[in-house]
Amino acid sequence: GEDVEQSLFLSVREGDSSVINCTYTDSSSTYLYWYKQEPGAGLQLLTYIFSNMDMKQDQRLTVLLNKKDKHLSLRIADTQTGDSAIYFCAEGGKLIFGQGTELSVKP
Amino acid sequence: GAGVSQSPSNKVTEKGKDVELRCDPISGHTALYWYRQSLGQGLEFLIYFQGNSAPDKSGLPSDRFSAERTGGSVSTLTIQRTQQEDSAVYLCASSTIWGARGTEAFFGQGTRLTVV
């Protein structure tokens, strides 16, 4: 079955880059997603990548996709304290989510 | 409405009772998803409805859990004979299928279920 794995925690200093990694199992996934969950708020779509792409850039966000290794990453440039949240990757039409990576940004 | 609406926002129930959780998706969205988020845990997929197709129930943890979607719109998740381990936030999401950007799912605020 489908499975998505993420590391649980990441701590960075303000201004540094953050890289959140994710591995998935369903090679037929057409789209892969990154969602953000802030404290007390619902999940919101951050960005997504179509499976025939290797990279997508959206302002401070860069998504890298390695289909061979089924590895997805999210890079946040110039990380700010407001980026502190839980980040989830998700795959497929029925949206299987990973456990989420809690990003802590220290001033 | 403007977004996905879930009710109630909080529910406290006694062990052994049945509960019903409601989700009103965004109008026109054909896909509807239910997830469970336990304290400090990720999102556990429960069930997925897509249009008139048979739902994908592969994530339901036991036969005490069931869900239906009436008229392709409102969905109800029912938990029978609740147990303490059912305590969690239950999240609903809806999406269009194969929109211009793929399936972007919009989430409700969730129902926090506490079984005492």
Side-chain angles (χ1 to χ4, degrees), chain B residues 51-107:
Chain B
N52 296 322
S53 302
D56 183 330
K57 304 179 182 179
S58 59
L60 295 178
S62 76
D63 59 9
R64 296 187 295 106
F65 288 72
S66 62
E68 62 178 23
R69 188 177 185 192
T70 52
S73 182
V74 171
S75 177
T76 303
L77 177 70
T78 301
I79 309 173
Q80 295 178 307
R81 305 180 303 281
T82 51
Q83 304 294 313
Q84 287 184 327
E85 60 263 29
D86 299 334
S87 296
V89 175
Y90 288 82
L91 292 167
C92 174
S94 72
S95 71
T96 59
I97 296 296
W98 303 121
R101 298 191 295 151
T103 52
E104 177 175 353
F106 296 87
F107 280 79

Side-chain angles (χ1 to χ4, degrees), chain A residues 2 30-31 33 35 37 40-45 48 50 86 88 92-100, chain B residues 33 35 37 40-43 45 48 56 58 91 97-109:
Chain A
E2 306 94 339
T30 308
Y31 288 92
Y33 304 84
Y35 280 79
Q37 185 178 40
L43 280 92
Q44 288 191 306
L45 179 68
Y48 67 96
F50 189 46
I86 302 176
F88 293 90
K94 69 181 187 185
L95 290 182
I96 301 299
F97 282 81
Q99 310 95 307
Chain B
Y33 317 76
Y35 298 89
Q37 187 172 29
Q41 301 296 310
L43 270 73
F45 167 78
Y48 166 57
D56 183 330
S58 59
L91 292 167
I97 296 296
W98 303 121
R101 298 191 295 151
T103 52
E104 177 175 353
F106 296 87
F107 280 79
Q109 292 298 310

